[in-house]
Structure formats: structure tokens, C-alpha cells
Amino acid sequence: MLLTLLAFSIAQDQLGFREREIECNTTETPRAILARIAPTLDPTSMRVAVDCEYHDWDTPIGTARELALIPPVSGG
Amino acid sequence: MLLTLLAFSIAQDQLGFREREIECNTTETPRAILARIAPTLDPTSMRVAVDCEYHDWDTPIGTARELALIPPVSGG
Amino acid sequence: METSILFIETEIVPPPITLPSREIGACVEFYGIVRELENEQPLKALEYSVYEPMASQQLARIFDDLSAPHPVRAIVFIHRLGVVPVGEASLFIRIFSAHRSEALAFCSAAIDRMKRHVPIWKRAVLDRVRV
Amino acid sequence: METSILFIETEIVPPPITLPSREIGACVEFYGIVRELENEQPLKALEYSVYEPMASQQLARIFDDLSAPHPVRAIVFIHRLGVVPVGEASLFIRIFSAHRSEALAFCSAAIDRMKRHVPIWKRAVLDRVRV
């Protein structure tokens, strides 16, 4: 299954891209995907969103289309 | 001594005037002045201001120039 | 703290926003608007009157008192007098501060105190009465 | 509750005020403005980015959640993106309600929640760097 991985702000800086298509399966967790794509990135420093909703790092992504790395937000 | 008595809102309605010069002496209290000018007016239903400051009904007016009857306020 | 207190007989038009310094992070504006229903009576308008020298003095003191717990940089206060039709603003307040919490807290507290202490009065102009 | 959520790249110009009903008694407006000093560094500007579909969805939910404790009638939310120079607004919120307390409480709570949960990011553009 094809998943769009989005990286914002410092996550984008650290990964070197904003958006990438990656191959995943429905039983994978965000933590496992991150460990595979960017093993140096620390998941405790950010939140993760699946299809525009905050998601647990350890809950499988299921049939999600989009996974986003959300570093600490600072709007306003 | 000449004092300007001001009456606002319902106090003005009840007294029938907005402003009147009255003769007073420095030892008179607002309560005594009101009882003399408008014996039917109830001082518990309003506050009194002396020279633009809220004042006790029972403290003499001293050398004040202006006494104002302040019914419950409703700005905003 | 820059303070401007104004009572006007005409429609309130907020002055253009000019920041008092480059350290302003928040601007809060409040419009108090005349509603159609007050105490379940349909209104046409409210009519406002003021004891202006005392009101100005009280407001200046309220703003000064509140600037201790809620430090803000500038305040614009405009209250309309006379007949204010339903749907128009009777009150406009603009507050500048470094951070949002001060301006919001100041705004809320200033209106509360004004409503309790500042000699301004309103009177209903009912729907059946011609304004 | 009418809600408008907008992200724009250009200077924020508040839309004209149009009251959603004759029962509106309060309009609260908030401008978040870029300050020169942030973390003691002199800034030239802040640069904002957003994950827009998620941000819009989160904001809609925050507004919806807050309307239970603080019933308001309408909300206009505008966040600027890209480079916002010192002294210009990055955020504008307008809230209409029947009474002032709801609009003020809603405004305060909405900004707090936005700052914690809505995927918007700012980045300092320092004075020595050419924007």
C-alpha cells in the first residue's frame, strides 16, 4: 500500500523533504515506519498524525493514505 | 456656599431637573441636602458623588462645588 | 500607558490601528452592540447619557488600577451617547499589549468595572415609540 | 454557528463587520502581531507554515468543542502564512455572541488550544538575514 509521508518544520529540515510516497502495510505502526525511513529521528520530540488526526505512535496505520510528522506547533 | 446639584437618569426624572444651584454649608451631608431638596427621593436607591468622586451619604460635603445623584449605572 | 477616552454622539468608527511600539504582540478589540431583545422587550434602540467628567475620571482610574495586574501598553475607549439603534455599537474598546493574556483579561475586567461604577446610563427606546 | 477559517499569504485585512443577527451584543476581535523581540533575539519577521487540511479540521473541532461551554454565534479566523514582518498581524480572530463573556472566554480558549494543537509553525527571520 502506498502512503504519503509528510514532514513539517524541523522534521522537514531533518528529513530533507516535505513529502514522499512510501510503501507500507496496514499493520505497520507510525513508530515502525519512522524507524525504517528515518532511524535517526526521535519520535518523542514530535507527534504523528494519520489522515489529519493525531495518532498514537504504536497503533497500526490501517488503510491510511497520509502520515504526517508534527513537531511542536507554534501558530498564533 | 453655592453647590451645583446634578441629577441623572431616573433621578433626573424624579426631581424634574438635571442641574440646580443650591445654597449649602460645609457641614451638611449629602443625605441632609437630599432630604431638604427632595424629601421623597430614597437615597438607598442611588449613590452620590461629590466633585466627581463617589461619596458617603453621611460625610459632610466640605467645600465641594458639585453634588451628583447617581442612580444604578448601565453603560456598555 | 497611553489612554484615550472618548464620548461621541455619532456612529463609532474605530480609528486606524497604529502600534505604539514594536513590542506589541496583541491587539484586542471589543464592540458592545445594541441587541433587539433586552429583558424580553423588543427594542428599537437604546439611549445613552453620561456624567462625563466623572465618567472620564473613573475610567482613567479603572484603567490605571487594572494595569498593575494586567500590564497593557495602550487603550482606546469610545462610548456612544444619545440614541443607538439596534445593530450598532454603543461601546468600542481597543487594547494593545505585549501578550494576549493581559489584553484579554484587561478588556474583560475593564468592562465589568465600567458596568458597575462608571456613571453612564441607558434607557430603552421601545419598538412602538417613534425615535 | 457560522465559521470561516482562512489561511492567506498576504496582509490580513479584516472583512467588514456584518452582524449574523439582531441578537448579537458583543463582537470581540483579536490580532496577534509579530513582535520585534522573541526569546531576546531581535527579529525582522516570522515565517509561518501550515499543514492546512489538518489545521482547518482541528480548528473546526476546537471551535465546535468550545461552543458548548461558551456559546457564540459566528467566528472568523484568519492566519497569515509565509513571511510576516514585525508589526504586522499573523493572526486575526473575530467572534460574535449575544453577551461579552462568551466571546471573550471563547477567544482566549481558542487561542490557547490553537497554540497547543493546531499544526502551524513559525520560524524566526533574524535581523541580520535578508528576508
Side-chain angles (χ1 to χ4, degrees), chain C residues 20-81:
Chain C
S21 90
R22 290 168 69 83
E23 287 316 304
I24 298 303
C27 171
V28 169
E29 294 188 340
F30 177 84
Y31 295 80
I33 298 160
V34 176
R35 292 189 303 138
E36 186 161 49
L37 282 175
E38 184 132 341
N39 303 324
E40 291 170 26
Q41 280 183 315
L43 286 186
K44 196 180 183 73
L46 288 173
E47 186 169 12
Y48 286 90
S49 61
V50 67
Y51 179 19
E52 189 164 337
M54 179 171 172
S56 296
Q57 193 170 306
Q58 289 274 324
L59 283 166
R61 188 174 310 148
I62 288 169
F63 296 159
D64 209 51
D65 287 354
L66 290 176
S67 72
H70 313 295
V72 303
R73 259 305 299 274
I75 304 150
V76 175
F77 175 98
I78 305 173
H79 203 300
R80 190 164 162 189
L81 300 175

Short mmCIF file of all heavy atoms in Angstrom, two decimals, chain C residues 20-81:
data_model
loop_
_atom_site.label_atom_id
_atom_site.label_comp_id
_atom_site.label_asym_id
_atom_site.label_seq_id
_atom_site.Cartn_x
_atom_site.Cartn_y
_atom_site.Cartn_z
N PRO C 20 1.75 51.31 19.17
CA PRO C 20 2.54 52.22 19.99
C PRO C 20 4.02 51.83 20.08
O PRO C 20 4.84 52.65 20.49
CB PRO C 20 1.87 52.16 21.37
CG PRO C 20 1.06 50.92 21.37
CD PRO C 20 0.73 50.58 19.95
N SER C 21 4.36 50.59 19.74
CA SER C 21 5.78 50.19 19.75
C SER C 21 5.94 48.90 18.98
O SER C 21 4.95 48.25 18.61
CB SER C 21 6.30 50.01 21.18
OG SER C 21 6.12 48.68 21.61
N ARG C 22 7.20 48.51 18.78
CA ARG C 22 7.47 47.24 18.07
C ARG C 22 7.41 46.05 19.02
O ARG C 22 7.69 44.92 18.64
CB ARG C 22 8.82 47.31 17.36
CG ARG C 22 8.79 48.28 16.16
CD ARG C 22 10.17 48.58 15.61
NE ARG C 22 10.83 47.47 14.95
CZ ARG C 22 10.64 47.09 13.69
NH1 ARG C 22 9.76 47.73 12.94
NH2 ARG C 22 11.32 46.10 13.17
N GLU C 23 7.02 46.32 20.27
CA GLU C 23 6.90 45.24 21.25
C GLU C 23 5.44 44.83 21.51
O GLU C 23 5.15 44.14 22.48
CB GLU C 23 7.58 45.64 22.57
CG GLU C 23 9.09 45.63 22.45
CD GLU C 23 9.57 44.39 21.72
OE1 GLU C 23 9.23 43.28 22.17
OE2 GLU C 23 10.23 44.51 20.67
N ILE C 24 4.54 45.30 20.66
CA ILE C 24 3.13 44.92 20.79
C ILE C 24 2.91 43.57 20.11
O ILE C 24 3.21 43.41 18.92
CB ILE C 24 2.23 45.99 20.13
CG1 ILE C 24 2.40 47.33 20.81
CG2 ILE C 24 0.76 45.54 20.13
CD1 ILE C 24 2.12 47.32 22.29
N GLY C 25 2.38 42.61 20.88
CA GLY C 25 2.12 41.29 20.33
C GLY C 25 0.64 40.99 20.21
O GLY C 25 0.25 40.01 19.58
N ALA C 26 -0.19 41.84 20.83
CA ALA C 26 -1.63 41.55 20.84
C ALA C 26 -2.43 42.83 20.78
O ALA C 26 -2.10 43.83 21.43
CB ALA C 26 -2.00 40.78 22.10
N CYS C 27 -3.47 42.79 20.00
CA CYS C 27 -4.45 43.87 19.97
C CYS C 27 -5.82 43.23 20.12
O CYS C 27 -6.20 42.36 19.32
CB CYS C 27 -4.35 44.64 18.66
SG CYS C 27 -5.69 45.83 18.42
N VAL C 28 -6.54 43.62 21.17
CA VAL C 28 -7.89 43.10 21.41
C VAL C 28 -8.87 44.24 21.20
O VAL C 28 -8.66 45.35 21.70
CB VAL C 28 -8.03 42.54 22.84
CG1 VAL C 28 -9.49 42.25 23.17
CG2 VAL C 28 -7.19 41.28 22.99
N GLU C 29 -9.91 43.97 20.44
CA GLU C 29 -10.96 44.97 20.23
C GLU C 29 -12.29 44.41 20.69
O GLU C 29 -12.60 43.24 20.42
CB GLU C 29 -11.04 45.37 18.75
CG GLU C 29 -9.78 46.09 18.29
CD GLU C 29 -9.91 46.67 16.90
OE1 GLU C 29 -10.78 46.22 16.14
OE2 GLU C 29 -9.13 47.57 16.57
N PHE C 30 -13.05 45.24 21.35
CA PHE C 30 -14.38 44.83 21.79
C PHE C 30 -15.42 45.83 21.30
O PHE C 30 -15.25 47.04 21.48
CB PHE C 30 -14.43 44.75 23.32
CG PHE C 30 -15.79 44.41 23.83
CD1 PHE C 30 -16.21 43.09 23.91
CD2 PHE C 30 -16.69 45.41 24.18
CE1 PHE C 30 -17.49 42.77 24.35
CE2 PHE C 30 -17.97 45.10 24.62
CZ PHE C 30 -18.37 43.78 24.70
N TYR C 31 -16.47 45.32 20.68
CA TYR C 31 -17.63 46.14 20.33
C TYR C 31 -18.82 45.67 21.18
O TYR C 31 -19.17 44.48 21.13
CB TYR C 31 -18.05 45.95 18.87
CG TYR C 31 -17.05 46.42 17.83
CD1 TYR C 31 -15.96 45.63 17.49
CD2 TYR C 31 -17.22 47.63 17.18
CE1 TYR C 31 -15.05 46.05 16.53
CE2 TYR C 31 -16.31 48.05 16.21
CZ TYR C 31 -15.23 47.26 15.89
OH TYR C 31 -14.34 47.68 14.94
N GLY C 32 -19.42 46.60 21.91
CA GLY C 32 -20.70 46.31 22.56
C GLY C 32 -21.78 46.80 21.62
O GLY C 32 -21.78 47.96 21.21
N ILE C 33 -22.69 45.90 21.26
CA ILE C 33 -23.68 46.19 20.21
C ILE C 33 -25.08 46.14 20.80
O ILE C 33 -25.38 45.28 21.63
CB ILE C 33 -23.52 45.16 19.06
CG1 ILE C 33 -22.11 45.31 18.45
CG2 ILE C 33 -24.60 45.33 18.00
CD1 ILE C 33 -21.65 44.10 17.68
N VAL C 34 -25.94 47.05 20.38
CA VAL C 34 -27.31 47.08 20.89
C VAL C 34 -28.10 45.91 20.30
O VAL C 34 -28.18 45.77 19.08
CB VAL C 34 -28.00 48.42 20.58
CG1 VAL C 34 -29.46 48.39 21.05
CG2 VAL C 34 -27.26 49.57 21.24
N ARG C 35 -28.64 45.07 21.18
CA ARG C 35 -29.41 43.90 20.75
C ARG C 35 -30.90 44.23 20.69
O ARG C 35 -31.37 45.10 21.42
CB ARG C 35 -29.21 42.75 21.73
CG ARG C 35 -27.81 42.20 21.71
CD ARG C 35 -27.72 40.94 22.52
NE ARG C 35 -28.15 41.16 23.90
CZ ARG C 35 -28.91 40.33 24.59
NH1 ARG C 35 -29.36 39.22 24.03
NH2 ARG C 35 -29.22 40.60 25.83
N GLU C 36 -31.60 43.47 19.88
CA GLU C 36 -33.03 43.74 19.73
C GLU C 36 -33.83 43.41 21.00
O GLU C 36 -34.74 44.13 21.37
CB GLU C 36 -33.60 42.93 18.56
CG GLU C 36 -35.05 43.28 18.27
CD GLU C 36 -35.46 42.86 16.88
OE1 GLU C 36 -35.19 41.70 16.51
OE2 GLU C 36 -36.04 43.69 16.16
N LEU C 37 -33.45 42.29 21.64
CA LEU C 37 -34.21 41.87 22.81
C LEU C 37 -33.45 42.16 24.09
O LEU C 37 -32.34 41.67 24.29
CB LEU C 37 -34.53 40.37 22.75
CG LEU C 37 -35.66 39.99 21.82
CD1 LEU C 37 -35.80 38.48 21.76
CD2 LEU C 37 -36.97 40.61 22.29
N GLU C 38 -34.04 42.95 24.95
CA GLU C 38 -33.44 43.21 26.25
C GLU C 38 -34.58 43.07 27.25
O GLU C 38 -35.62 43.70 27.10
CB GLU C 38 -32.83 44.61 26.28
CG GLU C 38 -32.11 44.92 27.55
CD GLU C 38 -30.71 45.52 27.31
OE1 GLU C 38 -30.17 45.38 26.21
OE2 GLU C 38 -30.19 46.12 28.24
N ASN C 39 -34.38 42.23 28.25
CA ASN C 39 -35.45 41.92 29.21
C ASN C 39 -36.74 41.51 28.49
O ASN C 39 -37.84 41.89 28.88
CB ASN C 39 -35.73 43.11 30.12
CG ASN C 39 -34.48 43.55 30.86
OD1 ASN C 39 -33.67 42.71 31.24
ND2 ASN C 39 -34.32 44.84 31.04
N GLU C 40 -36.57 40.78 27.40
CA GLU C 40 -37.69 40.23 26.62
C GLU C 40 -38.59 41.26 25.96
O GLU C 40 -39.68 40.95 25.47
CB GLU C 40 -38.50 39.25 27.47
CG GLU C 40 -37.67 37.99 27.74
CD GLU C 40 -38.28 37.06 28.76
OE1 GLU C 40 -39.50 37.07 28.90
OE2 GLU C 40 -37.51 36.33 29.41
N GLN C 41 -38.13 42.53 25.94
CA GLN C 41 -38.87 43.55 25.21
C GLN C 41 -38.17 43.79 23.87
O GLN C 41 -36.95 43.94 23.86
CB GLN C 41 -38.81 44.89 25.97
CG GLN C 41 -39.77 45.03 27.12
CD GLN C 41 -39.66 46.42 27.72
OE1 GLN C 41 -38.57 46.91 27.93
NE2 GLN C 41 -40.79 47.04 28.00
N PRO C 42 -38.93 43.86 22.77
CA PRO C 42 -38.26 44.20 21.52
C PRO C 42 -37.89 45.69 21.50
O PRO C 42 -38.75 46.55 21.65
CB PRO C 42 -39.29 43.88 20.44
CG PRO C 42 -40.60 43.85 21.14
CD PRO C 42 -40.35 43.60 22.59
N LEU C 43 -36.61 45.96 21.34
CA LEU C 43 -36.13 47.34 21.35
C LEU C 43 -36.02 47.89 19.94
O LEU C 43 -35.79 47.15 18.99
CB LEU C 43 -34.72 47.39 21.91
CG LEU C 43 -34.48 47.21 23.39
CD1 LEU C 43 -33.02 47.45 23.69
CD2 LEU C 43 -35.34 48.21 24.15
N LYS C 44 -36.10 49.18 19.84
CA LYS C 44 -35.75 49.86 18.59
C LYS C 44 -34.33 50.43 18.73
O LYS C 44 -33.57 50.46 17.78
CB LYS C 44 -36.74 51.00 18.35
CG LYS C 44 -36.74 51.53 16.94
CD LYS C 44 -37.77 52.65 16.82
CE LYS C 44 -37.87 53.17 15.39
NZ LYS C 44 -38.55 52.22 14.50
N ALA C 45 -34.01 50.86 19.95
CA ALA C 45 -32.72 51.49 20.19
C ALA C 45 -32.51 51.60 21.69
O ALA C 45 -33.43 51.35 22.48
CB ALA C 45 -32.69 52.89 19.57
N LEU C 46 -31.30 51.97 22.08
CA LEU C 46 -31.04 52.39 23.45
C LEU C 46 -30.58 53.84 23.40
O LEU C 46 -29.95 54.27 22.43
CB LEU C 46 -29.95 51.52 24.09
CG LEU C 46 -30.34 50.08 24.43
CD1 LEU C 46 -29.12 49.29 24.90
CD2 LEU C 46 -31.43 50.04 25.51
N GLU C 47 -30.92 54.56 24.45
CA GLU C 47 -30.47 55.95 24.51
C GLU C 47 -29.53 56.09 25.71
O GLU C 47 -29.90 55.77 26.83
CB GLU C 47 -31.68 56.88 24.67
CG GLU C 47 -31.28 58.34 24.59
CD GLU C 47 -32.49 59.27 24.48
OE1 GLU C 47 -33.63 58.79 24.68
OE2 GLU C 47 -32.27 60.45 24.21
N TYR C 48 -28.32 56.57 25.43
CA TYR C 48 -27.29 56.64 26.47
C TYR C 48 -27.04 58.07 26.92
O TYR C 48 -27.05 58.99 26.11
CB TYR C 48 -25.97 56.07 25.94
CG TYR C 48 -25.96 54.57 25.83
CD1 TYR C 48 -26.37 53.94 24.67
CD2 TYR C 48 -25.55 53.78 26.90
CE1 TYR C 48 -26.36 52.54 24.56
CE2 TYR C 48 -25.54 52.40 26.82
CZ TYR C 48 -25.95 51.79 25.65
OH TYR C 48 -25.94 50.43 25.57
N SER C 49 -26.80 58.22 28.22
CA SER C 49 -26.38 59.51 28.75
C SER C 49 -25.19 59.28 29.69
O SER C 49 -24.94 58.16 30.12
CB SER C 49 -27.53 60.20 29.50
OG SER C 49 -27.94 59.41 30.59
N VAL C 50 -24.48 60.34 30.00
CA VAL C 50 -23.26 60.21 30.79
C VAL C 50 -23.08 61.43 31.69
O VAL C 50 -23.55 62.54 31.37
CB VAL C 50 -22.04 60.06 29.85
CG1 VAL C 50 -21.78 61.34 29.05
CG2 VAL C 50 -20.78 59.67 30.63
N TYR C 51 -22.43 61.24 32.80
CA TYR C 51 -21.91 62.33 33.62
C TYR C 51 -20.43 62.38 33.24
O TYR C 51 -19.60 61.71 33.86
CB TYR C 51 -22.12 61.99 35.09
CG TYR C 51 -21.61 62.99 36.11
CD1 TYR C 51 -21.32 64.32 35.78
CD2 TYR C 51 -21.43 62.59 37.43
CE1 TYR C 51 -20.87 65.20 36.75
CE2 TYR C 51 -20.97 63.46 38.40
CZ TYR C 51 -20.67 64.77 38.05
OH TYR C 51 -20.22 65.65 39.00
N GLU C 52 -20.13 63.15 32.23
CA GLU C 52 -18.88 62.96 31.51
C GLU C 52 -17.60 63.21 32.32
O GLU C 52 -16.69 62.38 32.28
CB GLU C 52 -18.87 63.77 30.21
CG GLU C 52 -17.67 63.39 29.35
CD GLU C 52 -17.76 63.85 27.90
OE1 GLU C 52 -18.88 64.08 27.40
OE2 GLU C 52 -16.70 63.99 27.27
N PRO C 53 -17.50 64.30 33.06
CA PRO C 53 -16.22 64.49 33.77
C PRO C 53 -15.96 63.37 34.78
O PRO C 53 -14.83 62.88 34.91
CB PRO C 53 -16.39 65.85 34.47
CG PRO C 53 -17.82 66.21 34.37
CD PRO C 53 -18.41 65.45 33.24
N MET C 54 -17.02 62.94 35.46
CA MET C 54 -16.82 61.86 36.43
C MET C 54 -16.54 60.53 35.72
O MET C 54 -15.68 59.74 36.16
CB MET C 54 -18.03 61.72 37.34
CG MET C 54 -17.88 60.59 38.35
SD MET C 54 -19.19 60.60 39.60
CE MET C 54 -18.84 59.04 40.44
N ALA C 55 -17.26 60.28 34.63
CA ALA C 55 -17.06 59.02 33.90
C ALA C 55 -15.63 58.94 33.38
O ALA C 55 -14.97 57.90 33.51
CB ALA C 55 -18.06 58.92 32.74
N SER C 56 -15.12 60.02 32.83
CA SER C 56 -13.76 60.01 32.29
C SER C 56 -12.74 59.76 33.40
O SER C 56 -11.79 58.99 33.24
CB SER C 56 -13.44 61.34 31.61
OG SER C 56 -14.28 61.52 30.49
N GLN C 57 -12.99 60.41 34.54
CA GLN C 57 -12.08 60.27 35.67
C GLN C 57 -12.11 58.83 36.23
O GLN C 57 -11.07 58.24 36.52
CB GLN C 57 -12.54 61.26 36.74
CG GLN C 57 -11.58 61.50 37.85
CD GLN C 57 -12.04 62.70 38.70
OE1 GLN C 57 -12.28 63.79 38.18
NE2 GLN C 57 -12.19 62.48 40.00
N GLN C 58 -13.32 58.28 36.35
CA GLN C 58 -13.47 56.90 36.83
C GLN C 58 -12.80 55.92 35.88
O GLN C 58 -12.13 54.99 36.31
CB GLN C 58 -14.97 56.54 36.94
CG GLN C 58 -15.70 57.22 38.06
CD GLN C 58 -15.55 56.45 39.36
OE1 GLN C 58 -15.53 55.23 39.35
NE2 GLN C 58 -15.46 57.15 40.47
N LEU C 59 -13.02 56.12 34.58
CA LEU C 59 -12.44 55.20 33.60
C LEU C 59 -10.91 55.25 33.66
O LEU C 59 -10.24 54.22 33.66
CB LEU C 59 -12.91 55.55 32.19
CG LEU C 59 -14.34 55.11 31.87
CD1 LEU C 59 -14.84 55.79 30.60
CD2 LEU C 59 -14.43 53.59 31.72
N ALA C 60 -10.38 56.46 33.75
CA ALA C 60 -8.91 56.60 33.81
C ALA C 60 -8.37 55.85 35.03
O ALA C 60 -7.34 55.17 34.97
CB ALA C 60 -8.52 58.07 33.86
N ARG C 61 -9.11 55.95 36.15
CA ARG C 61 -8.65 55.27 37.36
C ARG C 61 -8.77 53.75 37.22
O ARG C 61 -7.89 53.00 37.65
CB ARG C 61 -9.44 55.75 38.57
CG ARG C 61 -8.84 55.21 39.87
CD ARG C 61 -9.50 55.79 41.08
NE ARG C 61 -9.55 57.24 40.98
CZ ARG C 61 -10.53 57.98 41.50
NH1 ARG C 61 -11.52 57.40 42.16
NH2 ARG C 61 -10.50 59.28 41.37
N ILE C 62 -9.90 53.29 36.65
CA ILE C 62 -10.08 51.85 36.43
C ILE C 62 -8.94 51.31 35.55
O ILE C 62 -8.33 50.28 35.87
CB ILE C 62 -11.45 51.57 35.77
CG1 ILE C 62 -12.58 51.79 36.79
CG2 ILE C 62 -11.51 50.16 35.19
CD1 ILE C 62 -13.98 51.79 36.18
N PHE C 63 -8.64 52.02 34.47
CA PHE C 63 -7.58 51.56 33.57
C PHE C 63 -6.23 51.53 34.30
O PHE C 63 -5.44 50.59 34.15
CB PHE C 63 -7.49 52.46 32.34
CG PHE C 63 -8.72 52.44 31.47
CD1 PHE C 63 -8.99 53.48 30.58
CD2 PHE C 63 -9.64 51.39 31.54
CE1 PHE C 63 -10.13 53.47 29.78
CE2 PHE C 63 -10.78 51.37 30.75
CZ PHE C 63 -11.03 52.41 29.87
N ASP C 64 -6.01 52.55 35.09
CA ASP C 64 -4.77 52.62 35.85
C ASP C 64 -4.67 51.48 36.86
O ASP C 64 -3.64 50.80 36.96
CB ASP C 64 -4.76 53.97 36.58
CG ASP C 64 -3.35 54.46 36.78
OD1 ASP C 64 -2.59 54.48 35.79
OD2 ASP C 64 -3.02 54.78 37.93
N ASP C 65 -5.75 51.25 37.60
CA ASP C 65 -5.78 50.15 38.58
C ASP C 65 -5.52 48.81 37.90
O ASP C 65 -4.77 47.97 38.41
CB ASP C 65 -7.15 50.06 39.27
CG ASP C 65 -7.37 51.20 40.26
OD1 ASP C 65 -6.41 51.96 40.50
OD2 ASP C 65 -8.49 51.31 40.78
N LEU C 66 -6.16 48.60 36.76
CA LEU C 66 -6.06 47.29 36.10
C LEU C 66 -4.71 47.06 35.45
O LEU C 66 -4.33 45.93 35.17
CB LEU C 66 -7.17 47.14 35.05
CG LEU C 66 -8.58 47.00 35.60
CD1 LEU C 66 -9.58 46.96 34.44
CD2 LEU C 66 -8.71 45.72 36.43
N SER C 67 -3.98 48.15 35.21
CA SER C 67 -2.69 47.97 34.54
C SER C 67 -1.65 47.34 35.47
O SER C 67 -0.62 46.86 35.00
CB SER C 67 -2.18 49.31 34.00
OG SER C 67 -1.77 50.12 35.08
N ALA C 68 -1.91 47.31 36.78
CA ALA C 68 -0.99 46.62 37.68
C ALA C 68 -1.08 45.10 37.49
O ALA C 68 -0.09 44.46 37.14
CB ALA C 68 -1.24 47.02 39.12
N PRO C 69 -2.30 44.51 37.66
CA PRO C 69 -2.35 43.06 37.42
C PRO C 69 -2.24 42.68 35.95
O PRO C 69 -1.79 41.58 35.63
CB PRO C 69 -3.73 42.66 37.97
CG PRO C 69 -4.55 43.90 37.94
CD PRO C 69 -3.58 45.04 38.18
N HIS C 70 -2.68 43.57 35.05
CA HIS C 70 -2.71 43.23 33.62
C HIS C 70 -1.98 44.32 32.82
O HIS C 70 -2.63 45.19 32.23
CB HIS C 70 -4.15 43.14 33.11
CG HIS C 70 -5.06 42.35 33.98
ND1 HIS C 70 -4.90 41.00 34.18
CD2 HIS C 70 -6.15 42.70 34.71
CE1 HIS C 70 -5.86 40.57 34.98
NE2 HIS C 70 -6.62 41.58 35.33
N PRO C 71 -0.66 44.30 32.80
CA PRO C 71 0.05 45.40 32.13
C PRO C 71 -0.22 45.46 30.63
O PRO C 71 0.04 44.51 29.91
CB PRO C 71 1.53 45.09 32.41
CG PRO C 71 1.57 43.67 32.82
CD PRO C 71 0.26 43.33 33.41
N VAL C 72 -0.76 46.58 30.20
CA VAL C 72 -1.03 46.78 28.77
C VAL C 72 -0.35 48.09 28.33
O VAL C 72 0.04 48.91 29.17
CB VAL C 72 -2.55 46.80 28.47
CG1 VAL C 72 -3.20 45.52 28.94
CG2 VAL C 72 -3.23 48.01 29.09
N ARG C 73 -0.21 48.28 27.02
CA ARG C 73 0.54 49.43 26.54
C ARG C 73 -0.33 50.61 26.14
O ARG C 73 0.07 51.76 26.26
CB ARG C 73 1.41 49.04 25.33
CG ARG C 73 2.86 48.81 25.67
CD ARG C 73 3.51 50.01 26.39
NE ARG C 73 3.53 51.24 25.66
CZ ARG C 73 4.44 51.61 24.80
NH1 ARG C 73 5.45 50.82 24.56
NH2 ARG C 73 4.35 52.77 24.18
N ALA C 74 -1.53 50.36 25.62
CA ALA C 74 -2.37 51.46 25.18
C ALA C 74 -3.83 51.03 25.15
O ALA C 74 -4.13 49.85 24.96
CB ALA C 74 -1.93 51.94 23.79
N ILE C 75 -4.71 52.02 25.39
CA ILE C 75 -6.15 51.77 25.44
C ILE C 75 -6.88 52.86 24.68
O ILE C 75 -6.62 54.04 24.88
CB ILE C 75 -6.67 51.80 26.88
CG1 ILE C 75 -5.90 50.81 27.75
CG2 ILE C 75 -8.16 51.50 26.94
CD1 ILE C 75 -5.82 51.27 29.19
N VAL C 76 -7.79 52.44 23.83
CA VAL C 76 -8.72 53.37 23.18
C VAL C 76 -10.12 52.99 23.66
O VAL C 76 -10.53 51.83 23.51
CB VAL C 76 -8.65 53.25 21.64
CG1 VAL C 76 -9.70 54.14 20.98
CG2 VAL C 76 -7.25 53.59 21.13
N PHE C 77 -10.82 53.94 24.26
CA PHE C 77 -12.17 53.69 24.78
C PHE C 77 -13.12 54.70 24.13
O PHE C 77 -12.89 55.91 24.24
CB PHE C 77 -12.18 53.85 26.30
CG PHE C 77 -13.55 53.73 26.93
CD1 PHE C 77 -13.97 52.53 27.50
CD2 PHE C 77 -14.43 54.81 26.93
CE1 PHE C 77 -15.23 52.42 28.08
CE2 PHE C 77 -15.69 54.70 27.52
CZ PHE C 77 -16.09 53.51 28.09
N ILE C 78 -14.14 54.21 23.46
CA ILE C 78 -15.14 55.10 22.87
C ILE C 78 -16.52 54.63 23.29
O ILE C 78 -16.87 53.46 23.09
CB ILE C 78 -15.05 55.10 21.32
CG1 ILE C 78 -13.64 55.45 20.85
CG2 ILE C 78 -16.07 56.09 20.72
CD1 ILE C 78 -13.44 55.31 19.33
N HIS C 79 -17.31 55.52 23.90
CA HIS C 79 -18.69 55.19 24.23
C HIS C 79 -19.60 56.16 23.50
O HIS C 79 -19.39 57.37 23.53
CB HIS C 79 -18.94 55.28 25.74
CG HIS C 79 -20.11 54.45 26.20
ND1 HIS C 79 -21.39 54.64 25.74
CD2 HIS C 79 -20.18 53.41 27.07
CE1 HIS C 79 -22.20 53.76 26.31
NE2 HIS C 79 -21.48 52.99 27.12
N ARG C 80 -20.59 55.60 22.84
CA ARG C 80 -21.52 56.44 22.11
C ARG C 80 -22.61 56.95 23.05
O ARG C 80 -23.00 56.26 23.99
CB ARG C 80 -22.14 55.64 20.97
CG ARG C 80 -22.92 56.48 20.01
CD ARG C 80 -23.18 55.71 18.72
NE ARG C 80 -24.26 56.34 17.97
CZ ARG C 80 -24.82 55.80 16.90
NH1 ARG C 80 -24.39 54.62 16.45
NH2 ARG C 80 -25.80 56.43 16.26
N LEU C 81 -23.13 58.14 22.79
CA LEU C 81 -24.19 58.74 23.59
C LEU C 81 -25.40 59.03 22.70
O LEU C 81 -25.29 59.03 21.48
CB LEU C 81 -23.71 60.05 24.21
CG LEU C 81 -22.50 59.93 25.14
CD1 LEU C 81 -22.05 61.31 25.59
CD2 LEU C 81 -22.82 59.04 26.35
#
